[in-house]
Amino acid sequence: MTATWTNADPGLFGPDSVTWQAHADPMMWVAGIRALYLQALHPRAVRGVMQNSDFRRDAWGRLMRTASFVGTTTYGTTEAAERAGARVRKIHRRLGATDPDTGERYGIDEPALLLWVHCAEIGSYLHVLRRSGFPLTDAHADRYLAEHRHSARLVGLDPASVPANRAELDAYFARVRPELAAGADAHEVDDFLRRPPTHPLLVPARELLWRRVARLAYDSLPPYAHELYGRPAPPHATVTRRLRATGALLRLIPARLRRQLPPRHVLRAMARLGPAARPAPYKIGRQAAILDRPGEGAAD
């Protein structure tokens, strides 16, 4: 069952995709912070960040650039997504990092590093959305991962090398687990995420809001990440309840208000494709019912 859209370019994913519905959810912000925690556990990957950016002084700008890239590749035109990917690849080609122990110089666009960043990000999005109550079935989770071979290609990966379902993603994380460690760079990221520098007048807001969100993102990490960071998390069931409560609270904010926040990619997509392109969780639920009927999922 596929909706009929205007003749405008639907972009890489389009309104019938799982990605289109999922990436408009407000829990994506919690998922993005979880991804940063997880990505920092790969020593070569986090070293590339630490040696090539001053994230402490431009943290908000970095977060907004990441949000803009995800929004453009999800809701923008195909041309806009391809341009965004080309910019990322061009930047990555120019940058490298040096291993302080061996003196080895390597490019941050090594396929293994790009794959880690991709899997930690997409895996975090999927994990937080599902655990917070967004209606994604196992079939839709697999579709979501398969769809993101598109975004992997944009950053320079061979789509065939990217996990396309939950089993492949689990196998990837198991394979890369021995390479992970919480060194000085990872702990600096951890310290920053818990206490980002801010204007003195905004310190109360940081303590009240940001630290709660960052703690929830950290607590949702897999057990091996807590072990590496050396800071335990509450019981799994407690974290799940907090994720669901936070998701329920944020989803009470009317979507029409949330869409007004920058970078406003959803509003531009709806203007391009028409109001029927509006992303909404209930559309995932409707698609799930179709997928779960015997013999009806393959044509979707």
Side-chain angles (χ1 to χ4, degrees), residues 121 177 274:
E121 180 179 307
R177 168 67 182 86

Side-chain angles (χ1 to χ4, degrees), residues 3-36:
T4 301
W5 311 107
T6 69
N7 291 327
D9 177 11
L12 291 182
F13 299 103
D16 286 329
S17 68
V18 175
T19 296
W20 190 276
Q21 316 305 333
H23 281 189
D25 191 79
M27 288 297 286
M28 284 284 289
W29 289 99
V30 176
I33 298 171
R34 181 190 192 268
L36 294 177

Side-chain angles (χ1 to χ4, degrees), residues 6 31 46 53 88 116 119 153 167 184 186 223 241 246 254 257 271 277 279-280 298:
T6 69
V46 71
S53 69
V88 169
W116 167 252
C119 290
R153 175 186 60 79
R241 284 195 299 270
T246 302
L257 296 181

